[in-house]
């Protein structure tokens, strides 16, 4: 048996080079999931036997020791809004109860071809709408750093799974920050690739002009390996880009020489918790000490990104979620008394099948697109979207990346914001711009608050320049290797020796 | 800008969205959606004269492909998730015409 302290894909592949099998690696992770998932609720479905069979197939193939297959034998957790053939895919919604997709998303096909072993599906906010993973039909996921706090969202299950060492890597989706914000709250690395870099085929659509699938991992190097495996054009997604995919892992070896990094200081003046500000300033000092030049970038319209986003995303969602009607898949509400017609079935199915946050957004979007309000809300928001993109284009004339905190606060308590949607939305202030503009953005652990909770440092880059973000983050991580400390929950079952105690 | 959102407005929006709200939902959503729409008003203060709308971030021209037939989803797989597959290779729905 390999040592039980494997954490990263590098650890796993080193163990396999020493003779460990993919089945043994898979068993280690399944044992951790069995021990800790009840407390954290990161997984809504554990693949168990199927994962062990897939691992056995990797062992039979010999890919586990083939450098051309860097993910062979590596377990991975998949957000439950990404279609997996033969495995439940519900987007944590009652309306998709029991849905088992007849096909794999393109990213899943690519992961299977790469030899990655899917160990389960992870909890999320229903249809990826939310920032806490509390809006799930199966109940909330908890933050491994403090079980009374949220892990962030919407990809909170994937982030918590990686942070707690229940899976070395995971996939999430990011429509307004749903990879980066939970990565920040859980103290791991998360990347939203450029719009079009990764195929969306098989991703349950929320807002089609904003959605991107992306990687979670403990280290920047692992994010690079996973991005390389899923990136690239796909005939099944007409918005996927033909842009050349560089070798992301290879690019990490060479730091960006004397980078210029922009910081929107004015945007950070209001609404950022003091502890987050302190951690961010320290992170900027580290970047400076590494040779970066820090300049102020104005981004004058970024302050309008949240209201713009909450017009655009619900408008697209109201259209995308029209397909859930109780006819072709998922849940159908029983007929009402004396009311057994088709319209009643649609209306009752949708009212009982969707949760509150999804219904709020469907109605907001329906309103913004309805006659008389279309120009005032939808067109106006799309125009402001152009202005936000122009701000970034101007900034990138003189900077290599823009840096800011990923979130204005650290992880907050369960239930603290769920009653007040506007307060919840305000927390997305630093993440939604990357979706509105399509630009790539990465969150890397950027220190801790005084109580030990993780703070995220975000880099936003030029379109299709994920390589620069990865290189900057890898260089930062070398001098601030926060990921090596891990949450108290993770030590319980894994047997990983904790370097801090 | 539109005046305050009323429960009747919310019921109208819900009907457009095929949602049958309970009375307590209508009350709650009237308040919450009203607050959110008021929050959106700040966008009206931005001068967008002559600014084109961005509907999506794609900058490259669409790529065309050959229109070549490929196998589609087998019927039994397409029906496997239906709440009421009806048994005749069809999706069955409640009566449409009385």
């Amino acid at each position: 048996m390999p040592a039980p302290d494997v954490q990263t894909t590098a650890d796993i592949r080193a163990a396999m080079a020493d003779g460990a099998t993919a089945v043994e690696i898979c068993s280690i992770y399944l044992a951790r999931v069995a021990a800790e998932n009840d407390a954290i609720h990161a997984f809504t479905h554990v693949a168990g036997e199927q994962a062990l069979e897939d691992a056995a197939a990797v062992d039979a193939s010999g890919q586990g020791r083939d450098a051309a297959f860097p993910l062979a034998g590596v377990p991975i957790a998949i957000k439950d809004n990404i279609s997996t053939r033969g495995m439940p895919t519900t987007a944590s919604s009652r309306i998709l109860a029991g849905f088992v997709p007849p096909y794999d998303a393109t990213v899943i096909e690519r992961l299977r071809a790469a030899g990655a072993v899917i160990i389960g599906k992870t909890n999320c906010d229903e249809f990826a709408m939310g920032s806490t993973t509390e809006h799930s039909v199966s109940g909330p996921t908890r933050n491994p750093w403090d079980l009374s706090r949220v892990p962030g969202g919407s990809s909170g299950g994937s982030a918590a799974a990686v942070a707690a060492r229940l899976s070395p890597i995971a996939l999430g989706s990011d429509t307004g920050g749903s990879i980066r914000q939970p990565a920040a709250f859980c103290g791991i690395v998360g990347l939203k690739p450029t719009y079009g870099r990764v195929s969306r085929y098989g991703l349950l659509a929320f807002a089609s002009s904003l959605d991107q699938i992306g990687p979670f991992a403990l280290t920047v190097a692992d994010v690079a390996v996973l991005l390389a495996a899923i990136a690239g054009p796909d005939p099944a997604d007409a918005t996927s880009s033909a842009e050349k995919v560089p070798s992301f892992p290879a690019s990490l070896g060479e730091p960006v020489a004397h980078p210029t990094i922009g910081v929107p200081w004015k945007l950070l003046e209001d609404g950022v918790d003091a502890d987050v500000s302190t951690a961010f300033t320290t992170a900027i000092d580290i970047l400076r000490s590494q040779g970066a030049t820090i300049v102020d970038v104005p981004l004058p319209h970024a302050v309008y990104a949240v209201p713009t986003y909450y017009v655009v995303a619900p408008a697209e969602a109201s259209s995308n979620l029209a397909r859930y009607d109780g006819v072709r898949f998922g849940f159908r509400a029983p007929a009402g008394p004396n009311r057994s017609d088709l319209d009643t079935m649609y209306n009752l199915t949708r009212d009982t099948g969707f949760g509150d946050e999804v219904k709020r957004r469907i109605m907001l979007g329906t309103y913004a697109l309805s006659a008389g309000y279309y120009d005032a809300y939808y067109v106006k928001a799309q125009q402001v979207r152009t202005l936000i993109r122009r701000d970034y284009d101007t900034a990138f004339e003189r900077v290599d990346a823009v840096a800011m905190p990923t979130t204005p606060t650290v992880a907050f308590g369960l239930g603290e914001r769920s009653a007040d949607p506007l307060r919840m939305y305000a927390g997305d202030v630093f993440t939604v711009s990357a979706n509105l503009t399509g630009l790539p953005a990465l969150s890397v652990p950027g220190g801790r608050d005084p109580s030990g909770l993780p703070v995220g440092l975000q880099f936003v880059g030029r379109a299709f320049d994920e390589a620069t973000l990865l290189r900057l983050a890898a260089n930062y991580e070398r001098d601030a290797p926060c990921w090596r400390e891990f949450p108290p929950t993770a030590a319980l079952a894994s047997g990983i020796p904790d370097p801090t105690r | 800008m539109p005046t305050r959102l009323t429960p009747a407005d919310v019921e109208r929006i819900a009907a457009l969205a095929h949602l049958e709200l309970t009375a307590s939902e209508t009350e709650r959503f009237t308040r919450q959606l009203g607050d959110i729409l008021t929050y959106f008003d700040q966008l009206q203060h931005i001068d967008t004269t002559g600014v084109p709308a961005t509907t999506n971030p794609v900058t490259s021209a669409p790529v065309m492909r050959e229109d070549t037939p490929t196998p589609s989803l087998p019927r039994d797989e397409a029906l496997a998730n239906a709440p009421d597959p009806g048994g005749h290779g069809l999706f069955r729905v409640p009566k449409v015409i009385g």
Side-chain angles (χ1 to χ4, degrees):
Chain A
M1 274 300 271
D5 62 347
V6 287
Q7 297 186 63
T8 64
T9 66
D11 295 341
I12 289 166
R13 295 289 292 202
M16 292 179 79
D18 284 347
T21 65
V23 168
E24 287 169 340
I25 298 292
C26 187
S27 303
I28 288 174
Y29 279 95
L30 288 175
R32 292 183 193 172
V33 173
E36 296 203 44
N37 196 49
D38 281 354
I40 298 172
H41 193 47
F43 287 90
T44 53
H45 172 80
V46 180
E49 303 239 319
Q50 182 63 55
L52 290 167
E53 279 175 31
D54 291 349
V58 171
D59 286 330
S61 73
Q63 289 175 349
R65 290 179 210 172
D66 183 341
F69 293 87
L71 286 180
V74 175
I76 184 164
I78 307 293
K79 186 178 182 180
D80 199 34
N81 63 349
I82 299 173
S83 297
T84 42
R85 184 184 173 95
M87 205 181 283
T89 300
T90 70
S92 293
S93 179
R94 185 178 183 206
I95 210 160
L96 275 175
F99 178 63
V100 179
Y103 61 89
D104 276 329
T106 298
V107 292
I108 301 298
E109 273 182 3
R110 290 182 182 178
L111 287 171
R112 291 195 200 278
V117 176
I118 296 167
I119 57 166
K121 301 301 288 285
T122 56
N123 200 17
C124 57
D125 287 298
E126 184 178 3
F127 285 104
M129 297 180 194
S131 314
T132 60
T133 315
E134 292 171 296
H135 307 101
S136 162
V137 69
S138 69
T141 296
R142 289 166 184 275
N143 192 316
W145 289 89
D146 177 346
L147 296 176
S148 73
R149 291 174 191 265
V150 301
S154 66
S155 315
S158 285
V162 171
R165 276 60 173 174
L166 307 185
S167 182
I169 52 176
L171 284 187
S173 66
D174 190 317
T175 305
S178 282
I179 291 173
R180 292 160 286 152
Q181 184 255 23
F185 278 13
C186 290
I188 64 171
V189 189
L191 170 70
K192 183 200 87 74
T194 310
Y195 185 82
R197 179 61 98 186
V198 177
S199 167
R200 293 181 292 112
Y201 181 70
L203 173 68
L204 307 194
F206 158 14
S208 304
S209 82
L210 307 165
D211 296 341
Q212 262 299 278
I213 294 172
F216 283 106
L218 292 169
T219 62
V220 177
D222 278 3
V223 161
V225 171
L226 182 48
L227 178 63
I230 61 173
D234 174 17
D237 175 2
T239 63
S240 66
S241 171
E243 198 78 26
K244 187 174 181 303
V245 181
S247 173
F248 296 114
S251 69
L252 293 184
E254 205 181 317
V256 183
H258 308 296
T260 303
I261 295 173
V263 176
W265 291 112
K266 189 160 181 357
L267 182 66
L268 308 183
E269 276 172 11
D270 289 326
V272 182
D273 275 12
D275 293 336
V276 172
S277 278
T278 304
F280 179 69
T281 308
T282 306
I284 290 296
D285 286 343
I286 292 174
L287 291 170
R288 213 179 259 127
S289 74
Q290 293 178 330
T293 303
I294 308 295
V295 300
D296 186 28
V297 287
L299 304 182
H301 297 93
V303 67
Y304 298 112
V306 172
T308 302
Y309 175 83
Y310 279 96
V311 174
V312 173
E316 295 187 19
S318 70
S319 170
N320 274 325
L321 271 62
R323 74 192 65 178
Y324 301 103
D325 59 4
V327 174
R328 287 155 299 162
F329 30 66
F331 163 81
R332 175 186 292 188
N338 305 318
R339 298 174 65 206
S340 57
D341 62 294
L342 181 63
D343 270 341
T344 302
M345 187 281 283
Y346 287 156
N347 297 353
L348 289 177
T349 294
R350 288 166 62 78
D351 191 49
T352 51
F354 290 132
D356 269 14
E357 183 59 26
V358 172
K359 283 188 270 195
R360 268 194 292 275
R361 296 201 195 188
I362 287 174
M363 287 193 287
L364 267 181
T366 302
Y367 185 75
L369 292 175
S370 64
Y373 301 105
Y374 179 83
D375 287 329
Y377 289 107
Y378 186 67
V379 174
K380 185 78 180 182
Q382 300 287 36
Q383 289 175 309
V384 179
R385 188 177 185 181
T386 303
L387 295 174
I388 294 169
R389 172 69 194 238
R390 287 179 182 170
D391 287 352
Y392 274 92
D393 288 346
T394 303
F396 285 123
E397 286 171 8
R398 61 195 191 106
V399 302
D400 298 298
V402 172
M404 59 188 125
T406 311
T407 57
T409 69
V410 295
F412 43 86
L414 284 160
E416 230 173 68
R417 300 198 176 182
S418 43
D420 184 353
L422 267 182
R423 193 159 166 239
M424 183 87 82
Y425 301 167
D428 299 340
V429 58
F430 301 135
T431 49
V432 292
S433 287
N435 303 83
L436 290 168
T437 57
L439 299 173
L442 175 149
S443 181
V444 63
R448 302 259 184 271
D449 81 350
S451 66
L453 291 167
V455 175
L457 167 65
Q458 180 178 223
F459 294 107
V460 182
R462 294 189 181 92
F464 298 104
D465 193 13
E466 292 88 356
T468 292
L469 300 185
L470 292 164
R471 291 162 76 198
L472 285 172
N475 199 43
Y476 172 82
E477 179 190 67
R478 251 188 298 275
D479 284 344
C482 302
W483 70 271
R484 291 187 186 281
E485 302 152 26
F486 48 80
T489 48
L492 296 176
S494 62
I496 304 169
D498 184 342
T500 63
R501 57 198 93 171
Chain B
M1 276 319 290
T3 48
R4 281 176 60 87
L5 202 68
T6 65
D9 293 331
V10 170
E11 280 168 12
R12 182 181 60 85
I13 300 165
L16 286 172
H18 273 303
L19 292 167
E20 181 162 317
L21 303 182
T22 63
S24 74
E25 282 180 322
T26 302
E27 190 275 324
R28 186 165 72 247
F29 288 140
T30 300
R31 185 167 33 84
Q32 291 175 336
L33 298 178
D35 287 350
I36 295 167
L37 291 172
T38 303
Y39 174 68
F40 288 166
D41 284 349
Q42 60 184 292
L43 295 178
Q44 304 308 320
H45 306 311
I46 306 168
D47 182 1
T48 52
T49 314
V51 177
T54 296
T55 53
N56 70 68
V58 176
T59 50
S60 54
V63 180
M64 305 300 281
R65 62 165 169 78
E66 291 303 311
D67 189 14
T68 315
T70 53
S72 55
L73 197 60
R75 188 172 70 178
D76 57 335
E77 287 188 38
L79 286 164
N81 281 290
D84 185 356
H88 302 285
L90 303 165
F91 295 107
R92 187 157 64 190
V93 297
K95 196 158 65 174
V96 179
I97 300 166

